[in-house]
Amino acid sequence: MKSIVILGAGNVAFHLTRALIENTFNVRQIFNRTLENAKEIGEAHRIPYTDKISELEKADLYIIAAADSGIEEFSHYIPFDDTLVVHTSGSSPMAVLKGDYRKGVLYPLQTFSKNRRLRYDEIPFFIEAECKEDELSLVKLADKISNEVHVLPYEKRMQIQMCGVWANNFVNHLYYIAGDICKQNNIPFDVLKPLIEETADKIEDLEPFEAQTGPARRNDHIIINRHLEVLQNDSRLLEIYQVLTKSIKRTYGHD
Amino acid sequence: MKSIVILGAGNVAFHLTRALIENTFNVRQIFNRTLENAKEIGEAHRIPYTDKISELEKADLYIIAAADSGIEEFSHYIPFDDTLVVHTSGSSPMAVLKGDYRKGVLYPLQTFSKNRRLRYDEIPFFIEAECKEDELSLVKLADKISNEVHVLPYEKRMQIQMCGVWANNFVNHLYYIAGDICKQNNIPFDVLKPLIEETADKIEDLEPFEAQTGPARRNDHIIINRHLEVLQNDSRLLEIYQVLTKSIKRTYGHD
């Protein structure tokens, strides 16, 4: 890719720009509807930025790094036909891109926060393109950033993105609940951090099926009942506790 | 503590023995009903081991590192009165210890697997004892192993232990589910590992409430409905997905 323009200035745009710059790609411009956010990324990497569609530079690749709800709008802004336009979403089909250009997808599976340093070479990238030539050039681009690049059609990409909901969104919500219970008992959330870290680290060595411990896995109703008693006045937590306990029990044949 | 005897030979006993030995405590004996497991820990640390109650050595501290269901049985084995006996469970009261000796609890909050190297200095220990003197000596012991030692009564210890169920047992089950969806789509589970690691690492910098992302947090029903459609033939996953999504939505005011 000789030249790249990034559309969007959120967390994905921030990290993707940095990953591209670090791998000596030519990012020519950041476009965003809110100039301030584009400015932040642009100034950090000495890349021109704009909020004017009329100033959009010609490039070989446009990367729309926007939320799902914004991809289609962004996709209308690109007035050039002889170029490749991709979005970075796991859960939107390639067809949300509306234009006469060539289309593709470059989906990085990670949770992006601006102030976090990420190892880009470990982030899996999932690629899709209308034509083989573009697929190959996107794979080449992603290969420079990451060691984990896959070509994957929409249906499977969405499954992978949904796995991210389970392994990130839902997991983080369980951290929140655990933290909330700590807070209610005047216990600092920090005491849970080594456990949280070890739970994640453990699956480097053990399959989650093997790593499972706890009262539901052991079918230990004395402990489960003590927990249900503690939670009896909180119908929201009670419901989650019961549903997950039931699922663990079923997984280990304690039906 | 001049001398310590460990009762039990599971993962907690294994790591606790190692942590004590590394901090130059005098572990005199490992007792277990199945000799083979006691032998493994005993030989690893050159500590005598036995499966015979009659051979139980006199010591200043007995640590019953057994599953909740086994603590009471172990507690009957100790024939000495002038000694301190503790268990290591978060979810059992001190009173499950049946004997005329002094009683206490030494609860390490971590998930223990034999083949994992753990940083013992980071493991929070929660202490309880019948008398102040024993409380102090247990705190001193735990202080040598860990930087995070708290005195905590049973009711709060059980809350903390339940937090472990949320932050470890349930989280690991979500890893399992995500891995299972990967497997069904012929995608290697490994692609999720950087995301899982980053999700855990992120809370070092961000409170889980701030770190939350995803369709439920954004109240993005287009994506949520796509996921529900994918899951429609799996009532177990559908139920968990719906319950957790509802809870995240409620947490962020999307009721």
Side-chain angles (χ1 to χ4, degrees):
Chain A
M1 292 297 172
K2 286 186 200 115
S3 58
I4 301 170
V5 167
I6 308 278
L7 296 96
N11 293 340
V12 176
F14 177 89
H15 281 285
L16 209 49
T17 303
R18 183 147 81 186
L20 289 165
I21 295 286
E22 285 179 0
N23 288 284
T24 69
F25 284 99
N26 172 21
V27 182
R28 286 187 73 164
Q29 191 182 38
I30 314 281
F31 168 88
N32 197 49
R33 287 164 298 187
T34 310
L35 191 66
E36 206 180 332
N37 302 344
K39 186 179 169 184
E40 191 189 335
I41 302 178
E43 289 191 343
H45 300 291
R46 302 181 190 190
I47 302 165
Y49 52 90
T50 183
D51 60 349
K52 294 188 181 56
I53 298 165
S54 60
E55 289 177 0
L56 207 62
E57 295 261 9
K58 183 93 174 73
D60 300 305
L61 172 66
Y62 294 82
I63 301 178
I64 301 177
D68 287 277
S69 56
I71 297 171
E72 187 168 334
E73 188 189 330
F74 271 107
S75 82
H76 288 295
Y77 295 162
I78 299 152
F80 312 108
D81 289 354
D82 182 24
T83 189
L84 173 61
V85 178
V86 301
H87 70 65
T88 59
S89 162
S91 42
S92 285
M94 190 156 52
V96 299
L97 299 169
K98 307 292 186 198
D100 293 330
Y101 38 73
R102 297 170 345 260
K103 299 174 182 82
V105 175
L106 179 72
Y107 169 52
L109 175 66
Q110 187 48 284
T111 172
F112 294 99
S113 307
K114 263 186 195 152
N115 58 345
R116 296 275 311 161
R117 258 282 162 198
L118 293 172
R119 287 204 51 178
Y120 299 127
D121 61 336
E122 289 181 346
I123 298 176
F125 277 80
F126 299 94
I127 305 284
E128 191 184 3
E130 283 178 320
C131 71
K132 271 284 158 200
E133 207 176 314
D134 288 331
E135 184 184 293
L136 189 68
S137 64
L138 288 171
V139 167
K140 269 189 186 169
L141 177 142
D143 268 342
K144 284 216 177 172
I145 298 173
S146 164
N147 300 319
E148 189 80 35
V149 180
H150 301 262
V151 174
L152 208 72
Y154 169 59
E155 293 71 26
K156 291 209 170 196
R157 187 172 69 246
M158 199 180 58
Q159 296 268 8
I160 275 282
Q161 188 268 343
M162 189 185 62
C163 286
V165 169
W166 292 89
N168 168 271
N169 301 171
F170 289 169
V171 162
N172 184 75
H173 189 58
L174 296 182
Y175 296 161
Y176 167 76
I177 290 171
D180 209 38
I181 298 169
C182 281
K183 204 180 286 176
Q184 284 168 30
N185 288 281
N186 294 316
I187 297 160
F189 178 55
D190 280 2
V191 303
L192 291 176
K193 289 183 177 172
L195 178 65
I196 286 171
E197 277 300 325
E198 173 63 9
T199 305
D201 288 351
K202 215 171 173 176
I203 57 160
E204 287 293 328
D205 295 338
L206 283 173
E207 292 278 319
F209 184 85
E210 307 299 332
Q212 189 69 49
T213 56
R217 157 106 202 227
R218 296 192 309 270
N219 204 21
D220 181 340
H221 279 272
I222 295 172
I223 305 300
I224 290 170
N225 287 336
R226 280 184 200 151
H227 293 163
L228 294 178
E229 210 176 306
V230 167
L231 295 169
Q232 65 181 335
N233 293 321
D234 191 327
S235 60
R236 181 171 68 105
L237 296 195
L238 198 61
E239 189 181 16
I240 302 173
Y241 187 97
Q242 285 173 317
V243 164
L244 286 169
T245 293
K246 187 173 71 178
S247 178
I248 295 173
K249 284 170 63 182
R250 202 185 289 180
T251 303
Y252 294 92
H254 310 308
D255 266 321
Chain B
M1 293 297 174
K2 288 187 199 112
S3 59
I4 301 170
V5 167
I6 308 279
L7 296 96
N11 293 342
V12 176
F14 177 88
H15 281 285
L16 210 49
T17 304
R18 184 148 79 185
L20 288 165
I21 294 286
E22 284 179 0
N23 287 284
T24 69
F25 283 99
N26 172 20
V27 181
R28 285 186 73 164
Q29 191 181 38
I30 313 281
F31 168 88
N32 197 51
R33 285 164 300 187
T34 312
L35 191 66
E36 205 180 332
N37 302 344
K39 184 178 170 185
E40 191 188 336
I41 302 179
E43 289 191 343
H45 300 290
R46 301 182 191 190
I47 302 167
Y49 52 90
T50 182
D51 60 350
K52 294 187 180 57
I53 298 166
S54 59
E55 289 178 0
L56 207 62
E57 295 261 9
K58 183 93 175 71
D60 299 304
L61 173 66
Y62 294 81
I63 301 178
I64 300 177
D68 287 278
S69 56
I71 296 172
E72 188 170 333
E73 187 189 331
F74 271 107
S75 82
H76 286 296
Y77 296 162
I78 300 154
F80 311 108
D81 288 355
D82 181 26
T83 190
L84 174 61
V85 178
V86 301
H87 70 64
T88 58
S89 161
S91 43
S92 286
M94 191 158 52
V96 297
L97 299 169
K98 307 292 184 198
D100 292 331
Y101 38 72
R102 296 168 348 256
K103 299 174 182 81
V105 175
L106 178 72
Y107 168 54
L109 176 65
Q110 186 49 286
T111 171
F112 295 99
S113 306
K114 265 186 195 150
N115 58 344
R116 296 273 312 159
R117 257 283 161 197
L118 293 172
R119 286 203 51 179
Y120 299 128
D121 61 337
E122 289 180 348
I123 298 177
F125 277 80
F126 299 94
I127 305 283
E128 192 183 3
E130 284 177 318
C131 71
K132 270 284 157 197
E133 207 176 315
D134 288 331
E135 185 185 292
L136 190 69
S137 66
L138 288 171
V139 166
K140 270 190 185 167
L141 177 141
D143 267 342
K144 283 216 178 173
I145 298 174
S146 164
N147 300 318
E148 188 81 34
V149 179
H150 301 263
V151 174
L152 209 71
Y154 169 58
E155 294 70 27
K156 292 208 168 195
R157 186 172 71 246
M158 199 181 57
Q159 295 268 7
I160 275 284
Q161 189 269 343
M162 190 185 61
C163 286
V165 170
W166 292 90
N168 167 269
N169 300 170
F170 289 168
V171 162
N172 184 74
H173 189 58
L174 296 182
Y175 296 161
Y176 167 75
I177 290 171
D180 208 39
I181 298 169
C182 280
K183 203 179 287 175
Q184 285 167 28
N185 288 280
N186 294 317
I187 297 160
F189 178 55
D190 279 1
V191 302
L192 291 176
K193 289 183 177 172
L195 179 66
I196 285 172
E197 277 299 326
E198 174 63 9
T199 304
D201 289 350
K202 216 172 172 175
I203 57 158
E204 288 293 327
D205 295 336
L206 283 172
E207 292 278 320
F209 184 85
E210 308 299 331
Q212 189 68 50
T213 57
R217 157 107 202 226
R218 296 192 309 271
N219 204 21
D220 182 340
H221 279 272
I222 296 171
I223 305 299
I224 291 171
N225 287 335
R226 279 184 201 152
H227 293 163
L228 293 178
E229 209 176 307
V230 167
L231 296 169
Q232 65 181 335
N233 294 322
D234 191 326
S235 60
R236 181 171 66 105
L237 296 195
L238 198 61
E239 189 181 16
I240 302 173
Y241 188 97
Q242 285 173 316
V243 164
L244 287 169
T245 293
K246 188 173 70 177
S247 178
I248 296 172
K249 285 170 63 181
R250 203 186 290 181
T251 302
Y252 294 92
H254 309 309
D255 265 320

